[in-house]
Amino acid sequence: MWKFGVKTHFIAELQSLSEGERVKIAGWVYRKSELGGIVFIRLRDSTGVVQVVVKEGEASKEDVERARSAGIEASIVVEGRVKRDPRSPTGIELVASRVTVVGESPDFPIKPDSGEEFLLDNRHLHIRTTRMRNALMIRREVLRATEEWFIKNGFVRVEGPTFVGAAVEGGATLFEVPYFNRKAYLTQSSQFYLEAAIFSFENVYTIQPSFRAEKSRTRRHLTEFWHAEAEMAWADLNGMMDVVESLIRYIAEKVVERAGHILESLGRRFELPEGRFPRITYDEALEIAKRKGVLIEWGEDFGTEAERAISLEFDLPVFVTRYPKKAKAFYHKPDPERPDVVLCADLLAPEGIGEIVGGGQRIESLEELLSRINEEGLNPRDYEWYLDLRRYGSVPHSGFGLGIERTIRWITALPHIRDAIPFPRTPTRLYP
Ligand code: ATP
Ligand code: MG
């Protein structure tokens, strides 16, 4: 890790030092107490927490006074010597010879009993807490594993633009933004741009934000979320599901391998059982939902409640395939054997989490795509360039979008999706 001039060691590195070694560390006051004139500071940096003992004799009277007056979250630099102490949870302490306060922190606002709204209003400070740091470290590992899987499997990263001219996922969730003397929208998905890129690179992906004006306030929707998307030339629906299954398994394995201890501190026991992910049809899923008392008509998309009921039937993520055509966007390829359903698949995560991936086979024929655009009452002129992809060397292809925050929420069992992202955006939250 990069180390800048102020410190000789990160806190995690102190473990390997022997009794008496002299070090200089820097961090923030995590806890503080005093007993018989001795000040005990639990100091944290990005790597861990260590107990610092500040007492007269080892340090000056002024050092003890500075330690005593440092508030929670004050930044301090401590010089001292390592003391092996079997009673301390980390096995070591630091006996301070010098304490310097770099940044005061009078009355840090985040308290153990702070309410949810207060914490959200103070998100810029809340992200320093153990719980948020743990959640964000899992996010880091999910993003890293996702990117790694794509690189290892030869996918080429291609980003879509953020400003776009037309909807991918339906007009209801479009964010409109002024664009000089025209209207633009924030992208809901980079799918169409990735579809254009398969003709150059065959297998492509991106990891970037998508924006959706989700009016319903749920525990699994953000208005800005990170979207890992992929498109694969020559892939059919089954090939797409194989890719998703391999990716999800890789993410789950790497997160456990690299950050299992963090999941544990979040109170989460996470393990993805062995075995292939089950693949069931919409019709079969509908039966499960109905049997469990969720009332839906054939043709409707599954809502939170139905997905919850279905996913609770399985201890692995489950693919639900072949949704009714009318429940899905126009670009999904109708099943040639049964044109009222499309060759799509949503992956529902277990434990009631519901959809974390949505994807399917795309229509490759120009005529069929045009007729679906007209059928949905969309303007073909908005999709001219997308139609070109079917005019020049069209190929069968499939793709999917994985919600990074939904995946994190599943792996961590966080109660709300907003804790899977540092600065969440929801219909009511634009600050900080
Ligand atoms: P839902 O029905 O749950 O709103 P969707 O069908 O609109 O999802 P897709 O368009 O298939 O979702 O998007 C692909 C993936 O992106 C989803 O499986 C989900 O993981 C994620 N996703 C979609 N919308 C959101 C959102 N508003 N907030 C967070 N993640 C989202
Ligand atoms: Mg949606």
Side-chain angles (χ1 to χ4, degrees):
M1 238 164 114
W2 274 99
K3 204 170 289 156
F4 301 99
V6 280
K7 58 173 98 186
T8 59
H9 293 80
F10 284 103
I11 286 170
E13 293 171 330
L14 301 181
Q15 301 279 353
S16 58
L17 301 183
S18 26
E19 174 86 22
E21 280 198 61
R22 303 204 67 83
V23 298
K24 192 172 174 184
I25 59 171
W28 293 266
V29 175
Y30 178 59
R31 297 270 186 278
K32 207 180 61 174
S33 59
E34 195 175 341
L35 197 69
I38 305 173
V39 181
F40 298 91
I41 289 180
R42 296 190 56 75
L43 189 73
R44 87 172 163 80
D45 71 6
S46 61
T47 67
V49 176
V50 69
Q51 168 135 296
V52 175
V53 182
V54 195
K55 58 181 171 194
E56 260 190 78
E58 302 274 351
S60 71
K61 202 173 166 186
E62 291 73 27
D63 284 306
V64 178
E65 195 41 54
R66 278 195 291 273
R68 184 174 286 133
S69 64
I72 296 298
E73 287 301 311
S75 53
I76 65 177
V77 175
V78 180
E79 289 177 60
R81 61 177 169 83
V82 171
K83 180 161 179 270
R84 297 242 145 232
D85 180 358
R87 286 164 309 172
S88 129
T90 51
I92 49 156
E93 296 185 330
L94 195 68
V95 180
S97 53
R98 199 178 170 84
V99 176
T100 318
V101 177
V102 178
E104 300 277 5
S105 175
D107 199 18
F108 189 65
I110 309 289
K111 303 276 169 13
D113 59 352
S114 298
E116 276 296 310
E117 279 304 302
F118 181 85
L119 292 176
L120 284 164
D121 287 339
N122 289 279
R123 187 68 157 203
H124 50 298
L125 302 176
H126 188 210
I127 56 170
R128 298 187 191 190
T129 60
T130 309
R131 194 182 124 82
M132 281 308 302
R133 283 189 299 127
N134 284 338
L136 294 179
M137 282 305 274
I138 299 298
R139 178 183 174 89
R140 180 234 197 184
E141 296 302 342
V142 167
L143 282 164
R144 172 179 170 196
T146 306
E147 182 98 51
E148 227 170 52
W149 187 93
F150 283 120
I151 293 172
K152 280 187 184 205
N153 287 282
F155 283 62
V156 175
R157 181 165 169 147
V158 178
E159 291 84 9
T162 299
F163 290 126
V164 297
V168 177
E169 289 301 319
T173 63
L174 272 179
F175 274 114
E176 196 178 301
V177 284
Y179 195 78
F180 304 105
N181 46 11
R182 293 188 282 166
K183 266 191 251 174
Y185 307 99
L186 298 180
T187 185
Q188 297 165 304
S189 158
S190 293
Q191 178 191 323
F192 293 175
Y193 298 95
L194 291 179
E195 285 186 66
I198 63 171
F199 300 91
S200 308
F201 305 113
E202 300 198 25
N203 295 337
V204 295
Y205 77 104
T206 185
I207 305 174
Q208 63 182 88
S210 283
F211 304 86
R212 297 186 188 184
E214 310 275 3
K215 277 147 214 138
S216 60
R217 293 174 63 184
T218 74
R219 289 173 171 268
R220 54 185 210 151
H221 287 95
L222 295 163
T223 52
E224 176 176 358
F225 67 96
W226 281 70
H227 208 173
E229 293 180 272
E231 288 293 321
M232 294 86 69
W234 315 106
D236 64 5
L237 176 62
N238 284 318
M240 187 283 285
M241 289 192 279
D242 292 343
V243 167
V244 171
E245 185 167 342
S246 168
L247 170 63
I248 294 286
R249 206 163 259 295
Y250 187 82
I251 296 172
E253 268 166 22
K254 290 298 162 191
V255 171
V256 169
E257 181 185 311
R258 293 166 176 162
H261 59 290
I262 298 179
L263 286 176
E264 258 167 52
S265 8
L266 281 167
R268 171 65 163 164
R269 289 176 57 119
F270 175 77
E271 203 189 328
L272 190 55
E274 296 286 313
R276 295 299 304 272
F277 296 179
R279 299 177 181 189
I280 63 170
T281 62
Y282 171 91
D283 292 0
E284 289 163 334
L286 189 70
E287 283 313 309
I288 296 173
K290 278 188 181 159
R291 174 154 53 75
K292 296 190 157 180
V294 187
L295 297 177
I296 20 175
E297 291 290 313
W298 192 94
E300 285 177 56
D301 202 353
F302 296 131
T304 309
E305 219 191 323
E307 285 183 8
R308 186 179 158 74
I310 299 158
S311 73
L312 283 172
E313 282 280 293
F314 303 90
D315 56 4
L316 279 166
V318 55
F319 286 107
V320 180
T321 66
R322 294 180 165 79
Y323 282 61
K325 187 168 79 175
K326 60 182 171 185
K328 290 286 173 183
F330 69 91
Y331 50 73
H332 286 285
K333 184 179 168 75
D335 185 346
E337 280 160 29
R338 192 184 154 192
D340 61 339
V341 301
V342 290
L343 297 175
C344 70
D346 283 0
L347 184 69
L348 311 187
E351 301 172 68
I353 289 292
E355 182 185 335
I356 58 171
V357 177
Q361 193 165 340
R362 319 306 188 189
I363 295 174
E364 77 260 25
S365 130
L366 178 63
E367 291 68 37
E368 197 171 10
L369 190 58
L370 258 175
S371 86
R372 285 291 292 128
I373 287 176
N374 289 322
E375 211 176 342
E376 294 290 316
L378 298 165
N379 184 352
R381 265 190 313 199
D382 286 340
Y383 298 97
E384 259 318 301
W385 72 262
Y386 187 59
L387 291 163
D388 268 352
L389 307 180
R390 276 72 182 167
R391 286 192 184 102
Y392 305 107
S394 187
V395 287
H397 64 286
S398 301
F400 64 90
L402 170 149
I404 293 289
E405 291 80 14
R406 294 235 184 129
T407 305
I408 296 167
R409 186 176 170 224
W410 164 51
I411 292 176
T412 54
L414 289 168
H416 200 295
I417 194 170
R418 65 184 174 223
D419 287 341
I421 188 163
F423 297 99
R425 291 291 171 253
T426 64
T428 53
R429 183 141 307 270
L430 210 48
Y431 176 96

